[in-house]
Amino acid sequence: MAIFKGAAVAIVTPMCADGKVNYDKLAEIIEFQIANSTDAIVICGTTGESSTLTHGEHLKTIKFAIDQVNKRVPVIAGTGSNCTETAIMMSKEAASYGADALLLVTPYYNKATQKGLIAHYTAIANAVPETPIIMYNVPSRTGCNIQPATAAALAKNVKNIVGIKAASGDLSQIAKMMSMADGCLELYSGNDDQVLPILSLGGLGVISVLSNVAPKETHDMVMKFMEGDVAGATKIQLDAIPLINALFCEVNPIPVKTAMNLMGMEVGPLRMPLCEMEEANVEVLRKAMKDFGLKLA
């Protein structure tokens, strides 16, 4: 049984003005997501600024989300690290809190070999044998690319490695991987502008930045495709492209937090080294949001 089908939000981590995690606001945006048909919550991923959370904040935020959601939708905890032992520690903790699955980014900066990736993912999986794992391949951020044969081998040989968030942008690589996986790998798009192409290759949904501001539309895009309304799904995908482009005109999550603040969600500032968005880009974002029909405060 799939971890989820549809659109999972890669949810932001709201901050107070002093830079501390704003848990009251996190509760609000989780409720907003669930009320607007989001199919799963991904907590403490890239969009959640996991790289600048302390280990204590990271684990507290994961536990808070799991408790707040209270089994209404799956909660997928980002517990990846470039240190295998750290990833094991975080994964064990998240599993003990009741995370429905874990999202494990490839080791960044180390630039692990394919042999190293197999050892890394296998070690973490063996430490949490009852918790499903989604690998996260985003070489533009990590400098490390899970090759198709590696992903397929891990899915076939490690029982709780069940899925992959594919954010390489390389549809040919993704097609090759799915061909080699022989049905053993749950595929999720990691790029909002490639949801439909990835669904057509056997994808089950998307782990989405766009869902932070347009959860219902992102959910509907996937569901329409799955229900056979390809034209309806395509219209949503294409209509969203200018907004998606604006949400990535600066490094994520700068634009999406800016967009949420423009909508009056008050998710607060970013943590350095991320900084406030360039004003010219804010205007591009504001126009794209209006054109897509989002209500600004």
Side-chain angles (χ1 to χ4, degrees):
M1 183 175 173
I3 296 167
F4 77 94
K5 292 183 179 180
V9 61
I11 203 164
V12 304
T13 300
M15 306 286 183
C16 300
D18 62 4
K20 293 179 181 176
V21 176
N22 187 338
Y23 292 102
D24 290 340
K25 184 60 64 174
L26 180 57
E28 283 183 30
I29 62 176
I30 286 172
E31 293 306 317
F32 167 75
Q33 288 293 322
I34 292 173
N36 284 277
S37 302
T38 281
D39 299 288
I41 305 287
V42 175
I43 188 76
C44 291
T46 303
T47 311
E49 295 178 79
S50 56
S51 58
T52 53
L53 298 176
T54 67
H55 289 158
E57 288 173 323
H58 194 137
L59 293 171
K60 183 178 178 180
T61 302
I62 288 170
K63 188 175 189 307
F64 182 91
I66 290 168
D67 292 345
Q68 181 71 31
V69 171
N70 194 25
K71 297 296 182 184
R72 288 175 289 172
V73 297
V75 176
I76 301 162
T79 55
S81 173
N82 65 336
C83 171
T84 305
E85 288 302 318
T86 300
I88 288 172
M89 179 274 290
M90 302 278 276
S91 297
K92 282 182 171 180
E93 282 292 312
S96 76
Y97 302 154
D100 295 285
L102 305 175
L103 181 68
L104 294 172
V105 70
T106 53
Y108 38 88
Y109 191 79
N110 311 57
K111 298 181 114 175
T113 64
Q114 298 304 299
K115 179 181 177 181
L117 288 175
I118 290 172
H120 174 80
Y121 278 112
T122 302
I124 301 166
N126 288 343
V128 286
E130 302 305 316
T131 306
I133 286 171
I134 301 173
M135 301 174 287
Y136 179 17
N137 193 34
V138 58
S140 64
R141 278 190 179 266
T142 64
C144 184
N145 185 18
I146 306 176
Q147 293 296 332
T150 302
L154 283 163
K156 289 177 180 180
N157 296 320
V158 185
K159 74 177 182 67
N160 58 324
I161 294 181
V162 300
I164 189 163
K165 177 184 176 183
S168 69
D170 186 341
L171 292 172
S172 295
Q173 175 176 302
I174 294 166
K176 183 178 180 181
M177 175 184 69
M178 294 305 286
S179 173
M180 297 176 78
D182 296 327
C184 293
L185 195 58
E186 297 171 13
L187 173 63
Y188 298 102
S189 176
N191 290 335
D192 285 311
D193 62 348
Q194 293 184 332
V195 179
L196 261 61
I198 286 175
L199 289 176
S200 74
L201 293 171
L204 300 180
V206 59
I207 296 175
S208 172
V209 175
L210 175 66
S211 283
N212 281 284
V213 294
K216 184 68 165 60
E217 293 86 348
T218 313
H219 163 87
D220 287 351
M221 173 170 45
V222 177
M223 289 302 141
K224 283 178 182 292
F225 184 92
M226 290 185 166
E227 292 163 2
D229 182 7
V230 177
T234 301
K235 185 177 190 311
I236 297 172
Q237 174 80 91
L238 296 181
D239 286 351
I241 291 295
L243 175 56
I244 293 165
N245 289 343
L247 287 171
F248 288 91
C249 69
E250 292 188 21
V251 70
N252 179 49
I254 292 173
V256 72
K257 280 190 113 173
T258 304
M260 294 173 79
N261 287 332
L262 288 171
M263 293 172 72
M265 293 187 183
E266 298 178 357
V267 296
L270 299 129
R271 281 196 176 172
M272 289 178 66
L274 299 182
C275 62
E276 296 307 308
M277 198 170 178
E278 296 286 349
E279 191 55 42
N281 289 334
V282 174
E283 290 309 310
V284 171
L285 177 61
R286 184 181 280 114
K287 181 179 186 304
M289 292 170 70
K290 287 181 179 177
D291 289 349
F292 192 68
L294 299 181
K295 293 182 180 179
L296 278 62

